[in-house]
Amino acid sequence: FQLAMALALCGSVIAVGDRLIRTWVGPGFENGVLTAQILAYVVVVRALMGIPSTVLKGSGRAAFVAMTATGCAVANVLLSIVLVNSMGILGVALGTATPVTTIAIFAIFPAACRAVELGVFAGYRRIVWPALWPALVVMAAVAFTRQLVPLRLAAVLAHMAVGALAYAVLFVACGL
């Protein structure tokens, strides 16, 4: 459910980031759109790691969680320093997204699956996929229809809210 809530809210930000940024802060901030979308994605990945991290801590693997978090932080800083020079704030967002994704997909989630004696592939199939596929469907629909929404903040937020609600309905009806 934690992942589903993050996908419902952040999926809309990712799908209509261009319209949201333009109506929220005005024209001239278009280069911030991709950064906002990447950081919304990071929120989703962090939500994916929330419960598995708790499982690992509860099963006596708190040191592993701390070590991976430390490695992620160090990689984040180093990548951000390298990428900010060539890409600006977008490089910092990518410097955050890359280690967070790597740690989530290849360390935290698989370790939590092993801790509860669930195969990693089965874990992704039973936990991640039921939350992810409805988001992909709704994000595509919201992104496709975003040009039909007037460039007013209230209209864009309403469009995002409809997307989040559609995701919730699809997730509860079919994903669960």
Side-chain angles (χ1 to χ4, degrees):
F1 285 110
Q2 186 175 352
L3 177 59
M5 288 176 40
L7 283 166
L9 299 174
C10 295
S12 290
V13 172
I14 293 167
V16 300
D18 57 336
R19 309 286 281 185
L20 177 63
I21 294 296
R22 182 153 187 222
T23 59
W24 185 15
V25 294
F29 292 92
E30 288 79 14
N31 19 343
V33 171
L34 186 54
T35 301
Q37 291 168 320
I38 291 170
L39 293 176
Y41 161 79
V42 169
V43 170
V44 170
V45 175
R46 291 218 183 261
L48 168 65
M49 289 194 307
I51 298 301
S53 293
T54 302
V55 166
L56 289 170
K57 290 180 227 172
S59 63
R61 308 260 335 258
F64 173 78
V65 174
M67 287 178 9
T68 57
T70 301
C72 185
V74 169
N76 183 343
V77 169
L78 294 175
L79 278 171
S80 294
I81 289 170
V82 169
L83 295 174
V84 74
N85 291 325
S86 62
M87 303 174 79
I89 194 70
L90 177 61
V92 176
L94 289 171
T96 299
T98 303
V100 166
T101 301
T102 303
I103 294 298
I105 292 173
F106 297 111
I108 297 292
F109 192 82
C113 287
R114 287 190 296 276
V116 296
E117 299 178 0
L118 177 67
V120 175
F121 180 74
Y124 280 112
R125 184 176 42 81
R126 292 175 57 194
I127 298 166
V128 177
W129 183 245
L132 181 60
W133 76 260
L136 296 174
V137 170
V138 171
M139 286 170 61
V142 169
F144 182 75
T145 58
R146 76 184 187 278
Q147 299 300 329
L148 303 174
V149 177
L151 277 174
R152 290 191 322 271
L153 184 58
V156 172
L157 292 175
H159 187 63
M160 293 170 65
V162 168
L165 181 61
Y167 170 80
V169 168
L170 192 57
F171 172 70
V172 170
C174 303
L176 289 178

